[in-house]
Amino acid sequence: MNKVKVISSGKALSADIEGIDLSKALDPATRATILEAWSEHLVLRFRGQKLSDPDLERFSAMLGPLDKAPTYSKGVRTDVGSDFVTVISNVVENGVAIGDLGNAEALWHTDMSYNEIPPMASALYSLEIPPVGGDTGFCNMYQAWETLPQDLRQRVSGRLCVHDSSTNSVGGLRGGYEAVTDVSKTPGARHPMVITHPVTKRECLFLGRRRNAYIVGLPVNESEELLDAVWAHTTKKELSWYQEWQVGDLILWDNRCVMHRREDFDSNSRRIMHRTQIAGSKPYGRVSATTA
Ligand code: OGA
Ligand code: MN
């Protein structure tokens, strides 16, 4: 019998899934329950897990093939996770960081959307957490689109936006890049600002990240003004839910219709997370000929 419980957060997105040990193989009924809950709630939390990296990879691979870990910032050890496990941590051992993103605030973003084919999902598992701070927020991009004022809907519809590949979510320059000085030349993939989710077929906003973003074909000042207005709407509190971490939490989010951010925490505390990213498909949506 399937004893899995799905408990909604009651907020704009996310649900707890209870009654599953993710270190064990999942039967088809359990898998189906997870996928259905994921389509409905966009972010799923599994508490009290005890996962090795191979467990994390096996569970994530239930959704599809994994993407390799992204390029780490300069000076981060690259031999801690596997090729498919990204270490997110502020811990420094023998003068070398064991993971990326440090302890600073990470601004709202979609993982690796600067790639032509961004991951469809990320799974983030907590091994060590600070006593305070470091909460992770998630926002519902379907609702961001559905509630966007009509004039802004018209202005972004059919537009492409550039997703900056030169910096990470805490503002660090990635290896091999130079700082962007003119956003109309920002490196990174161009994606439609409104995409259709390939599974649910619902439309959602797809913004990626604000830093160095640019709406293709607009004068820079107009692009800045429009992006500011759309971002101000998207990051409203009522569209979000915040995860307060416990050790052993596994959070699975849909990277196509959810953005996330992380609050900062004390640099003297330790925080260690292991993340997988599940390969996606090329984002698609309506694109007007004039902007392509
Ligand atoms: C990530 C990320 C947030 C966090 O792993 O993609 O943005 O809470 N991390 O560490
Ligand atoms: Mn991220």
Side-chain angles (χ1 to χ4, degrees):
M1 202 180 75
N2 189 346
K3 294 203 208 72
V4 177
K5 269 200 201 152
V6 180
I7 302 158
S8 168
S9 67
K11 296 281 175 16
L13 69 173
S14 98
D16 273 297
I17 306 290
E18 290 183 0
I20 304 184
D21 177 351
L22 298 180
S23 69
K24 305 259 162 59
L26 302 179
D27 59 65
T30 302
R31 184 175 178 277
T33 304
I34 292 174
L35 291 178
E36 195 179 313
W38 195 44
S39 268
E40 183 177 345
H41 299 284
L42 324 187
V43 175
L44 299 181
R45 178 170 68 186
F46 304 80
R47 296 215 115 144
Q49 303 296 320
K50 232 180 158 43
L51 305 178
S52 63
D53 280 351
D55 290 337
L56 177 61
E57 289 183 28
R58 189 172 3 87
F59 166 67
S60 314
M62 178 188 85
L63 296 169
L66 303 185
D67 263 342
K68 284 203 170 164
T71 312
Y72 285 106
S73 304
K74 278 189 199 127
V76 175
R77 258 176 80 180
T78 54
D79 59 345
V80 179
S82 77
D83 279 359
F84 298 99
V85 172
T86 311
V87 180
I88 307 291
S89 184
N90 67 317
V91 172
V92 175
E93 278 170 4
N94 304 319
V96 183
I98 64 159
D100 220 328
L101 301 188
N103 69 304
E105 178 187 358
L107 301 178
W108 286 109
H109 65 281
T110 299
D111 282 338
M112 296 160 72
S113 63
Y114 45 83
N115 290 338
E116 291 299 326
I117 302 184
M120 70 153 104
S122 301
L124 189 61
Y125 174 65
S126 62
L127 294 121
E128 283 190 51
I129 55 161
V132 283
D135 295 354
T136 308
F138 296 89
C139 71
N140 183 330
M141 300 299 277
Y142 292 124
Q143 280 184 13
W145 171 240
E146 286 156 9
T147 60
L148 192 68
Q150 193 55 33
D151 60 318
L152 294 177
R153 282 170 72 99
Q154 273 169 7
R155 289 173 70 195
V156 300
S157 200
R159 291 275 176 195
L160 293 169
C161 187
V162 180
H163 295 231
D164 177 33
S165 57
S166 71
T167 59
N168 64 18
S169 58
V170 293
L173 205 57
R174 293 182 200 278
Y177 284 96
E178 280 173 31
V180 169
T181 52
D182 172 0
V183 293
S184 71
K185 301 197 171 64
T186 295
R190 299 168 164 206
H191 299 298
M193 295 187 73
V194 184
I195 61 168
T196 301
H197 191 288
V199 176
T200 65
K201 308 294 181 203
R202 291 171 66 195
E203 282 193 316
C204 60
L205 265 179
F206 193 62
L207 301 179
R209 51 199 65 215
R210 178 65 186 89
R211 188 182 280 116
N212 298 332
Y214 169 66
I215 302 176
V216 177
L218 291 186
V220 167
N221 60 349
E222 232 177 273
S223 165
E224 290 291 311
E225 180 262 319
L226 180 50
L227 285 169
D228 283 346
V230 172
W231 274 86
H233 171 81
T234 302
T235 55
K236 280 184 182 157
K237 223 176 166 154
E238 58 268 29
L239 298 179
S240 70
W241 166 81
Y242 275 78
Q243 151 73 345
E244 294 171 25
W245 290 95
Q246 293 178 7
V247 168
D249 282 351
L250 182 288
I251 297 262
L252 174 72
W253 68 86
D254 190 325
N255 198 46
R256 300 163 289 197
C257 55
V258 169
M259 290 199 301
H260 57 285
R261 67 177 285 267
R262 182 191 69 193
E263 293 181 341
D264 62 355
F265 57 96
D266 188 335
S267 59
N268 295 312
S269 319
R270 290 167 59 96
R271 189 177 188 270
I272 304 179
M273 307 275 175
H274 281 196
R275 190 190 83 192
T276 50
Q277 41 289 311
I278 298 112
S281 50
K282 192 167 168 55
Y284 70 93
R286 270 176 289 127
V287 179
S288 316
T290 50
T291 67

